[in-house]
Amino acid sequence: MGPRGHQSFLLLLALCATGAFVSATVLSGLPTTVSVMESAVPGTIIVEFNLTCQNETSIPTPVFTLQSTPPTYFFNQPIVAHRASPTPHYSVQITLSPSAALDARQVNQYTLTLEATCPGETPAKGELFVQVHTVDGPPQCMARFASQVGELVQVSEDVAPLMPIYTVVLQRPASGLRFTIKDNDTPLTIDRAGQVLAPGSGFIPAHAGQVFRLQILVTDRSGRNCSGAVTVTVLPVHRPHINFMAAWRSVAVLEKRGAMQLVTQVQAQGNNVRYEIIAPAAHGLYTIDTVTGELRNTYELDLQRSPEVAHTQLLVRAYDMLHPSDSDIICLNITVLPTNTLAPHCSPAVLLAQVPEDTPIGWTLAMLTCTDPDASNSSLRYQVEGDQHSRYSFRMQGPQLQVNETLDYDSAASARFQYVATILVTDNGQPPLSTHVPVLVTVTPKNEHSPACPARAMFSVPEDAAFGDTVGRVNGTDLDYPFDNIEYSIAGGTGASPPAFYIGPRTGEIHVLSPLDYESKQVYILTVQLRDMANDADPHHQHSALCDITIQVQDTNDQPPRCMPPFQEFFIYSTRDPSLPLAQLQCSDKDESTMLPLTYTLVGGNTNGHFRLAGSTLLHSAFSDPPDSIHEPRTFELLVEVTDSFSAPRHSTTATLVVHVTPWATATPSTTTIHTTLRKGPLVVTHTEWFWAPSPWFVVVLTVSVALLLVALAWLAWKLLCRSAPGKSAQPLLQDSRSSLMAVPRTPLQVRITSSTAAPERAAGSEQAPPPLGLSGHSFPRPHTHFPPALGLNGHCPPPRVRPAQPLQTGHLEWARL
């Protein structure tokens, strides 16, 4: 009510007080505005105010009417109570009805219009504004739903798909709720409104009679929740579904098997199924079990005594015990057969065959000749039996055993390359009799596949790898048995001579054969030949393949830095500007793995710290001398260590810088002479020597070759020393030489001078002692003397041999080399 309403109401009260109008009923405290929480429960008092009637003895009680905007049944009619003190009046209360469910998100204010009428007085109207406020509280599930038992719901199995079968109701309705089924393993679902729905395709017959228990979780926007349980029982609905899978069946039974023998068994689909024979009505030959459907003969079947039992037709009815109208019928044609006594006879009794593994499909391995002693015109059935490996490898084309699939020698390795099967020959008698013919087929190998290169064809090896280090392994494959039986060899790409790598012929492992140098060659591409072995009955039938193997040489820090030049010499004056660089070292490292810059360090010769390094630049500080001293030239031998890395392995070299400092002075030197003794420090110079370190196998080969060469030279020298003289006249000389060798071992050379007159004396066998040696080691015998014959190896003189002496001229010399 606005300001005008309040003014009108006050004016009305003033007029009534002066008696200008008829007495009117007064509503105290209206209009007014009250607030109520949406969680208020039924019976909550919304507002309480007073009603005053001008006629204090008003009987009966005043009458009230209540209207709500928007219309609702959430509020009860006013409750009026008479009060006598302090003045007579009526107390009026407005409360919530039992159906009240306030929701501020839907309606947040209700306008209640009240009209009160006292007997004999003018009615009074007033307005009450009820504002509904939200409550920040968790959702509250109904007590029965939240109990341990939960709600119980029964639903028919033929309910429509997605039909609501239960709705979750909360004590206080709220919006923004989320309903979920915890660990749902049932066909039921729940939607956003909290309705539990039937399966999308409806219940299936298997669901009939089942009980599904649902744990439903109700969660608000703040994550607060309550939970409850619903148990749904699916009630089965009976429908006609008794039926046989086939309308008729043919049954053959042997004669003379005795009474009450099982002939056949019929089964129908459905529940509570029972069976009965309905035709012929008075057969008496067969009986059926009403529960199991087993059909048995009531007495022994004998074709000779009762030929009419050879063929019988029965009608069997299956019906639902609870609903007999639900039934189905099957027709049974029963034939009684004579008994079969003899099995087929086959030749040969055992089949043996040996074939290569590339035998084509359809190739006939053997032929069977089989007969049935019971009937000459009986048809026989042939069937291959055995394990799964052998059963499908062969087939029977009549009595012919043929290859059905490729005979793989490689897959037959587990069975020792043999297929073991059995041919089952069966006649058409009753009961059918069979004969088993064993089959043993041996498969010989055939080299069908070439070796395959490995998927990984790239290896890496550091350049400092030693002789024999393993680079990698070439894992070739071969599908022929024995599997992966491969011989490896390098067909090309080994590099310079000697080869850099070699490969194990059986293992396929690549090893380092000679030193590697990353700076010289980074990549080797080897052509490896793979050749299979022992994969065919013919040992010369082999396959091979070539594989390209890439070997990458990894760079390592194996070279020290080099400075050019390693030695530098400089001459400066002591007054030189210290800000100017003195020298720049030009050093480099061949190793590409050395990514860091070279480090330079002064390690010697820096007396008094006159010099320093800024990277590779040499700087000096100012030289100072007393003004009246005698200035002498000074020499600094600086050693600079250049290092290529901070971590191992690291290498370094030393550069030498010789700096001659000549003092420069403006004052006249005094006559005093000061002798200064210079201390000489040790000068460390690192000199790197390159040497050739051959592999151990090369040293062994070289040693053996040198030893063989020395033996050959010794043998040649022995041949030259021991061979015979070309002329006969030299024979005595050789004998004298051997004699003199025994007498005088240290005489390197002997000379014999023979004249023409010495022949008779030698012929007569006269001997004389050799003359003494001269200073030069030569002996000068007399003209008519000769040396005694040489002794043998056993110390005895050999028998004298008389040879005619050749005439020699006087003064001719003959030499014998010892």
Side-chain angles (χ1 to χ4, degrees):
M1 181 180 293
R4 291 183 180 180
H6 290 283
Q7 294 175 2
S8 299
F9 184 76
L10 294 176
L11 179 61
L12 178 62
L13 292 177
L15 291 176
C16 292
T18 59
F21 297 95
V22 180
S23 299
T25 303
V26 179
L27 295 174
S28 302
L30 296 181
T32 186
T33 301
V34 296
S35 299
V36 61
M37 305 302 293
E38 64 177 357
S39 60
V41 297
T44 301
I45 299 175
I46 301 301
V47 67
E48 185 175 2
F49 58 91
N50 296 328
L51 170 64
T52 304
C53 293
Q54 298 299 325
N55 186 4
E56 300 179 357
T57 61
S58 297
I59 299 175
T61 305
V63 179
F64 279 86
T65 60
L66 177 66
Q67 294 181 353
S68 174
T69 303
T72 182
Y73 296 99
F74 292 169
F75 303 95
N76 293 319
Q77 290 296 323
I79 301 174
V80 181
H82 186 265
R83 301 285 189 268
S85 62
T87 59
H89 66 279
Y90 294 91
S91 175
V92 182
Q93 292 181 351
I94 305 297
T95 60
L96 293 178
S97 66
S99 62
L102 302 178
D103 189 354
R105 295 179 179 83
Q106 295 182 1
V107 179
N108 59 2
Q109 179 172 316
Y110 295 89
T111 301
L112 305 181
T113 302
L114 293 94
E115 183 177 352
T117 304
C118 293
E121 297 182 6
T122 303
K125 291 186 177 180
E127 289 183 336
L128 175 64
F129 302 95
V130 181
Q131 295 181 351
V132 181
H133 297 279
T134 59
V135 178
D136 189 17
Q140 297 179 359
C141 297
M142 300 298 291
R144 183 178 179 85
F145 172 72
S147 65
Q148 185 176 3
V149 177
E151 295 283 357
L152 301 178
V153 179
Q154 291 182 342
V155 61
S156 177
E157 67 169 323
D158 57 353
V159 67
L162 298 179
M163 177 68 69
I165 60 178
Y166 177 80
T167 302
V168 178
V169 179
L170 303 180
Q171 293 184 5
R172 183 180 59 82
S175 61
L177 298 178
R178 181 166 56 91
F179 300 86
T180 57
I181 301 177
K182 297 188 294 183
D183 300 329
N184 187 16
D185 56 352
T186 69
L188 304 175
T189 58
I190 191 169
D191 60 7
R192 296 181 178 179
Q195 295 179 337
V196 178
L197 306 179
S201 57
F203 290 103
I204 61 176
H207 292 154
Q210 292 190 9
V211 178
F212 303 102
R213 183 173 178 83
L214 307 178
Q215 292 290 339
I216 300 176
L217 181 67
V218 183
T219 308
D220 62 7
R221 293 188 180 93
S222 301
R224 295 168 297 186
N225 58 70
C226 67
S227 62
V230 176
T231 302
V232 180
T233 303
V234 182
L235 301 178
V237 177
H238 175 74
R239 60 174 62 90
H241 57 278
I242 299 294
N243 68 302
F244 286 104
M245 297 299 296
W248 62 275
R249 183 192 301 177
S250 295
V251 180
V253 60
L254 292 176
E255 63 172 344
K256 300 179 181 179
R257 297 193 310 152
M260 298 305 295
Q261 298 297 318
L262 180 64
V263 176
T264 186
Q265 184 180 11
V266 294
Q267 288 184 340
Q269 292 182 347
N271 296 327
N272 305 314
V273 182
R274 295 297 183 266
Y275 303 93
E276 64 178 353
I277 300 175
I278 61 176
H283 55 87
L285 187 59
Y286 300 97
T287 181
I288 191 169
D289 191 313
T290 59
V291 177
T292 63
E294 294 180 349
L295 185 69
R296 299 177 183 272
N297 55 312
T298 55
Y299 57 88
E300 186 178 28
L301 303 176
D302 191 346
L303 293 177
Q304 293 180 355
R305 291 186 303 173
S306 304
E308 67 276 5
V309 302
H311 298 282
T312 305
Q313 188 177 67
L314 299 178
L315 293 180
V316 178
R317 175 176 173 264
Y319 62 94
D320 190 340
M321 181 179 63
L322 301 179
H323 305 277
S325 60
D326 183 11
S327 63
D328 197 7
I329 298 175
I330 186 173
C331 179
L332 298 178
N333 295 322
I334 303 175
T335 302
V336 180
L337 302 176
T339 304
N340 188 21
T341 57
L342 297 177
H345 175 73
C346 296
S347 177
V350 179
L351 288 180
L352 301 177
Q354 181 174 341
V355 293
E357 63 174 328
D358 58 351
T359 301
I361 297 176
W363 183 268
T364 300
L365 299 177
M367 174 78 72
L368 283 178
T369 303
C370 299
T371 57
D372 187 3
D374 288 335
S376 59
N377 57 353
S378 175
S379 61
L380 302 177
R381 299 190 307 271
Y382 299 87
Q383 182 181 357
V384 178
E385 292 184 343
D387 57 10
Q388 187 176 5
H389 178 68
S390 302
R391 182 187 312 169
Y392 301 105
S393 300
F394 307 99
R395 67 188 180 193
M396 293 302 298
Q397 191 69 27
Q400 297 179 356
L401 178 64
Q402 296 181 349
V403 177
N404 187 48
E405 63 181 15
T406 303
L407 302 178
D408 192 0
Y409 177 87
D410 309 316
S411 61
S414 59
R416 297 184 180 181
F417 318 106
Q418 290 181 346
Y419 291 85
V420 180
T422 301
I423 300 177
L424 182 65
V425 184
T426 308
D427 58 16
N428 59 353
Q430 293 298 329
L433 299 180
S434 303
T435 298
H436 296 79
V437 179
V439 177
L440 180 61
V441 180
T442 303
V443 181
T444 58
K446 198 75 175 179
N447 194 356
E448 302 173 302
H449 306 282
S450 297
C453 296
R456 183 173 182 266
M458 181 175 293
F459 304 100
S460 59
V461 59
E463 65 173 330
D464 58 352
F467 170 78
D469 285 356
T470 302
V471 177
R473 183 170 184 175
V474 180
N475 293 317
T477 57
D478 188 7
L479 299 180
D480 292 313
Y481 187 87
F483 304 111
D484 304 335
N485 189 22
I486 300 174
E487 182 180 42
Y488 302 87
S489 62
I490 297 180
T494 56
S497 179
F501 305 96
Y502 72 93
I503 188 170
R506 299 301 296 170
T507 62
E509 292 184 350
I510 300 176
H511 300 275
V512 177
L513 186 60
S514 60
L516 305 176
D517 188 6
Y518 176 84
E519 287 73 26
S520 300
K521 190 170 185 178
Q522 294 84 25
V523 178
Y524 292 86
I525 299 179
L526 307 182
T527 301
V528 179
Q529 183 183 47
L530 282 64
R531 184 182 300 275
D532 54 17
M533 301 177 64
N535 299 124
D536 195 280
D538 182 8
H540 300 289
H541 187 200
Q542 295 178 308
H543 293 290
S544 62
L546 297 178
C547 306
D548 289 336
I549 306 298
T550 302
I551 300 177
Q552 295 181 346
V553 180
Q554 296 177 342
D555 188 21
T556 58
N557 188 11
D558 60 345
Q559 299 288 337
R562 291 188 177 183
C563 297
M564 297 301 295
F567 176 84
Q568 299 184 52
E569 187 175 14
F570 304 95
F571 295 85
I572 63 173
Y573 289 101
S574 61
T575 57
R576 189 177 184 275
D577 187 1
S579 63
L580 298 177
L582 178 59
Q584 182 78 31
L585 295 176
Q586 302 295 331
C587 301
S588 61
D589 192 355
K590 290 185 177 181
D591 290 320
E592 297 183 3
S593 62
T594 306
M595 305 302 296
L596 298 175
L598 301 178
T599 57
Y600 300 84
T601 307
L602 277 170
V603 296
N606 189 14
T607 306
N608 297 329
H610 283 296
F611 299 91
R612 69 182 185 277
L613 285 173
S616 60
T617 304
L618 179 65
L619 302 173
H620 69 88
S621 57
F623 297 95
S624 60
D625 293 301
D628 55 351
S629 63
I630 297 177
H631 306 284
E632 296 291 341
R634 287 176 292 181
T635 300
F636 297 89
E637 295 182 358
L638 304 178
L639 300 180
V640 179
E641 183 184 28
V642 184
T643 308
D644 59 3
S645 176
F646 294 107
S647 60
R650 61 179 180 179
H651 301 276
S652 62
T653 188
T654 303
T656 304
L657 302 177
V658 179
V659 181
H660 300 278
V661 180
T662 302
W664 184 274
T666 56
T668 303
S670 61
T671 57
T672 304
T673 301
I674 300 176
H675 298 279
T676 303
T677 303
L678 298 178
R679 296 183 178 180
K680 294 183 179 180
L683 177 63
V684 179
V685 178
T686 302
H687 178 67
T688 303
E689 294 184 357
W690 297 88
F691 63 92
W692 178 53
S695 302
W697 67 267
F698 183 78
V699 175
V700 173
V701 172
L702 182 61
T703 303
V704 173
S705 301
V706 172
L708 293 176
L709 180 61
L710 293 177
V711 171
L713 292 177
W715 178 80
L716 181 60
W718 180 76
K719 282 294 185 180
L720 293 176
L721 292 176
C722 298
R723 69 178 181 179
S724 302
K728 295 181 179 180
S729 58
Q731 184 67 23
L733 180 59
L734 292 177
Q735 296 178 358
D736 296 341
S737 300
R738 288 193 295 267
S739 176
S740 60
L741 178 62
M742 298 295 294
V744 187
R746 290 194 177 94
T747 303
L749 192 63
Q750 293 182 351
V751 182
R752 182 167 59 91
I753 303 176
T754 309
S755 63
S756 58
T757 58
E761 296 181 358
R762 286 197 301 271
S766 59
E767 296 181 0
Q768 295 183 2
L773 296 175
L775 294 177
S776 60
H778 300 84
S779 62
F780 300 97
R782 290 188 295 269
H784 299 286
T785 60
H786 65 278
F787 296 100
L791 295 175
L793 296 177
N794 54 3
H796 302 283
C797 294
R801 291 176 294 179
V802 180
R803 295 183 180 178
Q806 300 293 332
L808 297 177
Q809 296 181 358
T810 304
H812 182 70
L813 298 179
E814 290 183 1
W815 300 82
R817 186 181 302 272
L818 298 180

